[in-house]
Amino acid sequence: MKKMLLSVLTISLACSWISAQTDGQSVKPAAPRERLLMDNGWKFALGHPFDAARDFNHGTGYFSYFTKAGYGDGPAAGDFDDRAWRILDLPHDWAVELPFDGRGGHSHGYRAMGRAFPENSVGWYRKTFLVPESDLGRRISIEFDGVHRNSDYWMNGFYLGKEHSGSSSFQFDVTDYLDYGGRNTMAVRVDAVMEEGWYYEGAGIYRHVWLAKTEPLHFGRHGIFVSTRVEEGAASITASTTVVNETDAEAVFDIVHTMIDASGRPVADGETGGHVLKAGETGEYPCVTRLKKPRLWSLEDPHLYKMNTVLFSGNDAVDVCETPFGIRSVRFDPNEGFFLNGKRVQLKGTNNHQDHAGVGTAVPDALQEFRIRTLKSMGCNATRTSHHPPTPELLTACDRLGMLVLDENRLMGSSPEQM
């Protein structure tokens, strides 16, 4: 029964992705999980780092939003009048729009920005969107792929938190702050006065934003990790799945995996069942499958499989995820170098920053792919990201086109902030 349901859900997942490009204004979902693009129709205005009057009187209310729930003021208030603000679509880099000035810092591209230009160095974003009443009872989060930098977040006047880094992805669970059946307002204050790097880094919400909806029993964010081990004439594939129980009762569930090749044909499957999680708990569940005569991912033939994973509570599918991956072996030898699928490969590539002429750091997805294709045409087989985690769309292009990646971190250390 569950295997038959899985084949139906695989079709539903694709249909849900097509209908998901509705900027948050969805109807009853076609699949248990939705991830809706939230890039369109934001309002934007420049604020100020220390002059409250020029920062729309933010932070001047009698009650602070740090001590009283729902007391976001200025643009952080749900009923703030932003009709005079500029309307734009994300991704957006406001630094690249500013004039050049020799007093500007090199990390802002010598634009009129930074400590010498406080009037240009804080940006406010607001977006109002509908959440249907049918979503009541689901878990809803807003995911940011990257905001530069030192940013604060409010939903309907309720303070959500802060993100210091301009390069990390992060999310806020907004389930408890939403008006179901009504309109909701997200507010973001971005303070780019202080530079983070030594390279052009831009300013603003320069990567995609998503609205994620799941059932209370669901996979964790980035909760499915597929690893492979190539053996003689076969491959061992391990899918490690994180499940979160945000219900108020103990949950019993099964996890079913189906491996799909590039032509859409199921080639392997696996199942783990009878798992139990108490209310509020999180667990991780590995499942190992084997595939004979796998088609290996290589620079010349970047073949990708997909792992379709379904979470069942009884016979009800409560979450569905699709994870693309390649099967390959990687080995480093201190004397002979790098080996891919048992063959020595000389790494030839370039060190690439994420910005591009004319758009700054707000790089369109198609331009990410164009850059990788161009590097490959020049003879490159590897790219080093500089100097922080790259946008997911870049990694997706590298996987699909056959490009190795040296993926950097922003700041090394053992404190919670750096980890």
Side-chain angles (χ1 to χ4, degrees):
M1 179 64 176
K2 290 177 181 175
K3 295 294 176 63
M4 182 174 67
L5 282 171
L6 180 58
S7 63
V8 175
L9 282 163
T10 301
I11 300 173
S12 298
L13 181 64
C15 295
S16 174
W17 180 251
I18 294 171
S19 66
Q21 313 304 313
T22 56
D23 205 32
Q25 302 184 33
S26 64
V27 295
K28 189 66 176 177
R33 169 182 291 264
E34 289 182 287
R35 193 167 185 254
L36 313 178
L37 190 62
M38 294 279 285
D39 283 356
N40 297 333
W42 287 76
K43 297 288 192 72
F44 174 77
L46 291 174
H48 203 277
F50 54 81
D51 186 339
R54 300 171 71 180
D55 203 37
F56 307 99
N57 293 311
H58 171 65
T60 62
Y62 178 72
F63 284 122
S64 166
Y65 54 83
F66 284 123
T67 58
K68 291 285 186 177
Y71 276 86
D73 60 356
D79 59 355
F80 177 81
D81 186 356
D82 60 12
R83 287 177 295 175
W85 287 20
R86 172 186 171 190
I87 301 175
L88 54 77
D89 295 337
L90 305 178
H92 175 236
D93 173 7
W94 88 74
V96 77
E97 303 171 350
L98 297 172
F100 289 102
D101 194 299
R103 295 172 295 163
H106 54 273
S107 294
H108 290 139
Y110 296 99
R111 303 282 180 163
M113 191 173 179
R115 295 194 182 278
F117 306 94
E119 69 279 4
N120 295 336
S121 300
V122 168
W124 280 94
Y125 295 85
R126 286 170 52 86
K127 179 176 174 60
T128 300
F129 60 99
L130 175 69
V131 175
E133 191 173 357
S134 58
D135 280 340
L136 185 62
R138 306 178 83 188
R139 303 305 302 185
I140 301 180
S141 297
I142 294 189
E143 302 176 351
F144 292 84
D145 285 346
V147 179
H148 211 286
R149 61 171 298 277
N150 194 28
S151 46
D152 292 278
Y153 299 82
W154 295 262
M155 174 60 69
N156 294 333
F158 290 87
Y159 185 63
L160 301 176
K162 176 185 285 290
E163 174 58 42
H164 295 286
S165 172
S167 305
S168 299
S169 64
F170 53 96
Q171 72 171 11
F172 295 104
D173 187 325
V174 297
T175 304
D176 299 334
Y177 307 115
L178 296 175
D179 179 7
Y180 295 89
R183 302 190 71 81
N184 299 267
T185 300
M186 181 85 198
V188 181
R189 184 179 187 270
V190 184
D191 186 341
V193 173
M194 181 178 174
E195 299 171 352
E196 188 170 315
W198 56 96
Y199 42 84
Y200 179 79
E201 55 195 13
I205 308 179
Y206 69 100
R207 293 179 182 172
H208 295 307
V209 178
W210 307 87
L211 189 70
K213 305 180 182 183
T214 67
E215 297 302 311
L217 180 66
H218 60 92
F219 299 127
R221 182 169 180 253
H222 306 312
I224 301 174
F225 183 80
V226 179
S227 58
T228 65
R229 181 178 179 181
V230 178
E231 301 164 344
E232 190 67 31
S236 176
I237 300 101
T238 302
S240 296
T241 305
T242 300
V243 177
V244 182
N245 181 13
E246 294 188 270
T247 72
D248 57 3
E250 184 176 83
V252 181
F253 55 90
D254 306 320
I255 304 170
V256 177
H257 302 276
T258 301
M259 185 174 165
I260 311 294
D261 67 12
S263 67
R265 180 174 61 96
V267 292
D269 56 59
E271 179 175 351
T272 61
H275 303 298
V276 179
L277 269 180
K278 294 181 180 178
E281 285 190 343
T282 298
E284 184 174 333
Y285 307 93
C287 180
V288 181
T289 59
R290 285 182 59 82
L291 179 66
K292 294 182 179 180
K293 298 181 179 179
R295 184 174 169 183
L296 301 184
W297 185 97
S298 67
L299 299 172
E300 301 76 24
D301 180 24
H303 181 270
L304 293 174
Y305 292 92
K306 293 179 181 178
M307 187 69 77
N308 286 342
T309 305
V310 182
L311 179 65
F312 284 97
S313 177
N315 283 325
D316 295 328
V318 295
D319 206 351
V320 182
C321 274
E322 182 180 85
T323 308
F325 68 98
I327 299 176
R328 78 286 181 272
S329 67
V330 173
R331 179 170 66 89
F332 285 92
D333 185 274
N335 299 314
E336 298 185 67
F338 174 71
F339 287 78
L340 177 65
N341 300 328
K343 298 180 180 179
R344 185 179 181 276
V345 175
Q346 183 178 4
L347 299 179
K348 296 178 288 185
T350 56
N351 175 62
N352 300 297
H353 291 197
Q354 66 176 344
D355 59 298
H356 192 88
V359 296
T361 55
V363 181
D365 296 350
L367 190 50
Q368 303 283 3
E369 179 165 328
F370 166 79
R371 294 174 71 172
I372 297 304
R373 288 189 182 275
T374 301
L375 287 172
K376 283 187 69 79
S377 71
M378 296 165 57
C380 294
N381 60 20
T383 178
R384 177 194 174 205
T385 65
S386 310
H387 298 275
H388 45 72
T391 183
E393 288 72 28
L394 174 69
L395 297 177
T396 297
C398 291
D399 288 346
R400 188 175 64 253
L401 298 175
M403 178 73 77
L404 299 170
V405 180
L406 284 72
D407 191 347
E408 286 202 337
N409 198 358
R410 177 182 66 99
L411 181 65
M412 302 297 180
S414 57
S415 71
E417 178 65 29
Q418 293 158 341
M419 294 173 68

